[in-house]
């Protein structure tokens, strides 16, 4: 094990970031402090076949450079190449890629000096605001490889940036500007270009995080914030793929309440649905559909996606009223449906209307558009369609995914091309 000795003047919290010139991968690291007050040390694990590489360790306003030992577990790869994995069976789960993007900011300050780092574990104080008080937000986005195999498309990234800024205001957090957000996403995707699946094999899921990483004991906004982006190649979110999913309506547990944080993409919203979701999946359902917490009769959303119904060619979805996340795929489907001549209503939708619908489908970044094959409510099961998309949802799915993948001309100017 190689050690790198640091100046004792450094702050007790360290950020380890390999230089951009390194062609090796940092698997993991642990920070240890020697008993001697004159030095601290960083242990880099998995150091077989070592090579020397330069690191910068930031601690408050102090900086020190050192040489460290990295695992040379993978040779230098041209990012224009496609990773050699089984693209037909990637599923929806984390697959570690090459780089992540990190940018920091103090409370009341502005984000600046973002940089790429090798993908790996991060270190935060046990008293970090995100760990103690849930002061955190995330976004979900996708990048697609075009048919030419080279160009990459992002879908409406400025919408994710805007939504994160809105959520940050609600959670008392500083946020990157829209331009900073979009440029950081572009940088991260291009650095991990070889992990974007081949055309038709999936997408590169992009996860921007905004976290209160500064230490805070009393209930208050954290003193420091970290904006981080990592990516992973993914296939279909539901195991059914684009086959219809089966939902159960939940009337006892609730996802959000009026005046709460249901309308922003804060991390706590998702932990709250795990209990009902686990119970539903144990019974064979794909996921849970939540009702409003006051009347228990109006549709809200599924655990991680918005809900739509179709009746007599009219598309209806619950209106955004503070308890429902303003999904970007939801917004896009509303616009696509109207562009296709369909009537769209954003309003209160009752569970009775759901049971009488001709078609039901979900939308979200992860699922894109997913047909619903059945709804179970108070023991009554209602089925839709013939085991596939209904005619309206299939048309909307085809139009939207063709735009996202660059198969049709983008007259709406929603996609951003990266080459």
């Amino acid at each position: 094990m190689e050690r790198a000795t640091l100046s004792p003047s450094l702050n007790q919290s360290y950020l380890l970031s390999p230089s951009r010139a390194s062609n090796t991968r940092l698997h993991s690291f642990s920070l240890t402090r020697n008993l001697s007050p004159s030095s601290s040390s960083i242990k880099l694990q998995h150091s077989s076949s070592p090579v020397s590489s330069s690191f910068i360790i930031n601690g408050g306003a102090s900086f020190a450079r050192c040489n460290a030992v990295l695992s040379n577990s993978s040779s230098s790869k041209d990012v224009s190449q496609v990773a050699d994995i089984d693209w037909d069976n990637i599923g929806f789960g984390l697959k570690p890629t090459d780089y992540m993007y990190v940018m920091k900011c103090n409370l009341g300050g502005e984000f600046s000096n973002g940089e790429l780092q090798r993908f790996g574990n991060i270190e935060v104080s046990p008293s970090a605001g995100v760990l103690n008080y849930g002061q955190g937000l995330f976004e979900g986005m996708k990048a697609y490889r075009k048919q030419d195999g080279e160009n990459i498309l992002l879908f409406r990234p400025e919408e994710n940036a805007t939504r994160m800024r809105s959520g940050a205001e609600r959670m008392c957090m500083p946020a990157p500007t829209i331009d900073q957000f979009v440029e950081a996403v572009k940088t991260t995707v291009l650095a991990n270009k070889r992990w974007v699946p081949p055309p038709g094999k999936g997408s590169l899921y992009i996860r921007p995080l905004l976290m209160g990483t500064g230490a805070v004991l009393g209930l208050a906004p954290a003193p420091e914030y970290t904006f981080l982006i990592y990516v992973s190649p993914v296939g279909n979110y539901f195991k059914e793929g684009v086959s219809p999913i089966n939902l159960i309506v939940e009337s006892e547990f609730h996802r959000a309440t009026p005046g709460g944080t249901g309308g922003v993409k804060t991390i706590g919203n998702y932990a709250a649905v795990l209990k009902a979701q686990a119970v539903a999946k144990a019974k064979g359902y794909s996921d849970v559909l939540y009702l409003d917490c006051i009347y228990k009769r109006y549709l809200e959303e599924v655990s991680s996606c918005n809900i739509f119904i179709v009746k007599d060619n009219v598309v209806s979805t619950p209106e955004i009223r503070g308890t429902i996340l303003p999904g970007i795929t939801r917004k896009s489907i509303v616009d696509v449906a109207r562009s296709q001549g369909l009537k769209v209503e954003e309003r209160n939708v009752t569970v009775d209307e759901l049971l009488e619908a001709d078609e039901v489908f979900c939308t979200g970044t992860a699922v894109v558009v997913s047909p619903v094959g059945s709804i179970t409510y108070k023991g009554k099961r209602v089925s839709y369609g013939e085991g596939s998309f209904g005619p309206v949802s299939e048309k909307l799915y085809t139009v939207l995914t063709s735009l996202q993948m660059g198969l049709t001309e983008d007259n709406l100017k929603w996609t951003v091309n990266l080459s």
Side-chain angles (χ1 to χ4, degrees):
M1 182 66 64
E2 298 288 332
R3 290 182 180 272
T5 301
L6 312 179
S7 165
S9 65
L10 292 181
N11 185 289
Q12 291 293 294
S13 176
Y14 304 101
L15 170 65
L16 179 63
S17 61
S19 70
R20 300 183 188 184
S22 169
N23 288 320
T24 58
R25 176 186 292 253
L26 173 63
H27 283 276
S28 62
F29 70 90
S30 61
L31 182 63
T32 62
R33 296 179 178 86
N34 292 340
L35 294 177
S36 167
S38 64
S39 66
S40 295
S41 65
I42 288 182
K43 292 181 179 179
L44 296 175
Q45 302 172 354
H46 306 296
S47 57
S48 60
S49 304
V51 295
S52 179
S53 185
S54 174
F55 288 80
I56 300 174
I57 301 171
N58 302 336
S62 301
F63 297 90
R65 282 188 182 271
C66 65
N67 286 327
V69 175
L70 291 180
S71 165
N72 193 21
S73 61
S74 60
S75 60
S76 177
K77 294 182 176 66
D78 182 348
V79 294
S80 67
Q81 296 175 346
V82 178
D84 184 18
I85 62 175
D86 183 2
W87 293 111
D88 292 319
N89 297 287
I90 54 176
F92 197 96
L94 178 65
K95 291 167 184 62
T97 51
D98 297 324
Y99 293 96
M100 60 187 183
Y101 185 95
V102 178
M103 184 163 56
K104 289 183 176 287
C105 173
N106 290 326
L107 181 65
E110 296 179 352
F111 280 94
S112 62
N113 300 324
E115 65 177 2
L116 288 173
Q117 301 179 13
R118 288 289 184 177
F119 179 84
N121 294 339
I122 62 173
E123 180 174 299
V124 295
S125 166
S127 189
V130 67
L131 298 180
N132 289 261
Y133 301 116
Q135 198 182 21
L137 298 162
F138 74 92
E139 280 297 324
M141 312 165 63
K142 284 181 176 179
Y144 293 89
R145 190 179 294 272
K146 294 185 68 174
Q147 292 296 313
D148 61 16
E150 286 299 319
N151 290 292
I152 307 297
L153 288 181
L154 300 176
F155 185 72
R156 308 188 79 175
E158 72 288 344
E159 292 287 341
N160 295 89
T162 300
R163 186 168 65 181
M164 175 168 276
R165 289 183 61 81
S166 175
E169 193 279 330
R170 176 65 176 85
M171 302 299 289
C172 298
M173 306 167 72
T177 66
I178 293 175
D179 286 344
Q180 284 177 320
F181 182 103
V182 173
E183 288 305 311
V185 169
K186 291 178 180 179
T187 298
T188 310
V189 171
L190 288 175
N192 293 285
K193 186 174 181 179
R194 71 190 188 94
W195 294 99
V196 182
K201 299 294 184 179
S203 59
L204 186 72
Y205 189 85
I206 307 162
R207 174 55 60 85
L209 298 169
L210 183 60
M211 305 171 286
T213 45
V216 57
L217 185 59
L219 180 58
E224 182 187 69
Y225 296 84
T226 299
F227 175 63
L228 186 152
I229 304 174
Y230 69 90
V231 298
S232 176
V234 297
N236 291 313
Y237 181 77
F238 290 114
K239 64 180 178 61
E240 294 88 348
V242 293
S243 297
I245 60 174
N246 302 297
L247 302 178
I248 183 169
V249 177
E250 176 59 57
S251 55
E252 296 303 319
F253 290 109
H254 297 283
R255 177 190 167 275
T257 59
T261 59
V264 299
K265 207 168 176 67
T266 183
I267 57 179
N269 291 347
Y270 295 83
V273 307
L274 296 177
K275 176 69 173 178
Q277 187 184 63
V279 171
K281 289 188 174 183
K283 295 178 180 179
Y285 298 103
S286 307
D287 214 327
V288 176
L289 172 59
Y290 292 90
L291 301 178
D292 76 284
C293 66
I294 298 176
Y295 302 103
K296 298 185 179 182
R297 65 186 297 260
Y298 296 109
L299 307 187
E300 294 237 310
E301 59 182 279
V302 183
S303 301
S304 59
C305 44
N306 296 112
I307 190 81
F308 285 77
I309 69 169
V310 181
K311 183 68 175 180
D312 297 329
N313 272 354
V314 176
V315 179
S316 301
T317 190
E319 64 180 333
I320 301 299
R321 53 178 182 268
T323 56
I324 297 171
L325 186 73
I328 293 157
T329 309
R330 172 195 179 278
K331 179 178 181 179
S332 302
I333 282 292
V334 167
D335 291 342
V336 166
R338 287 173 174 156
S339 74
Q340 297 296 309
L342 293 167
K343 181 179 180 181
V344 180
E345 297 178 341
E346 298 178 76
R347 58 177 177 81
N348 287 338
V349 180
T350 68
V351 68
D352 292 331
E353 290 180 279
L354 171 73
L355 300 178
E356 295 295 325
D358 300 325
E359 299 176 45
V360 180
F361 61 92
C362 300
T363 65
T365 299
V367 304
V368 188
V369 177
S370 182
V372 175
S374 74
I375 294 285
T376 299
Y377 176 59
K378 292 185 176 180
K380 178 183 178 182
R381 180 185 175 103
V382 175
S383 297
Y384 308 91
E386 301 296 330
S388 62
F389 278 107
V392 173
S393 54
E394 182 173 32
K395 182 177 184 180
L396 297 177
Y397 170 82
T398 300
V399 173
L400 182 63
T401 55
S402 294
L403 277 172
Q404 291 176 326
M405 298 177 188
L407 300 176
T408 57
E409 185 176 357
D410 179 17
N411 295 319
L412 297 168
K413 308 303 181 186
W414 282 351
T415 56
V416 175
N417 187 74
L418 307 179
S419 57

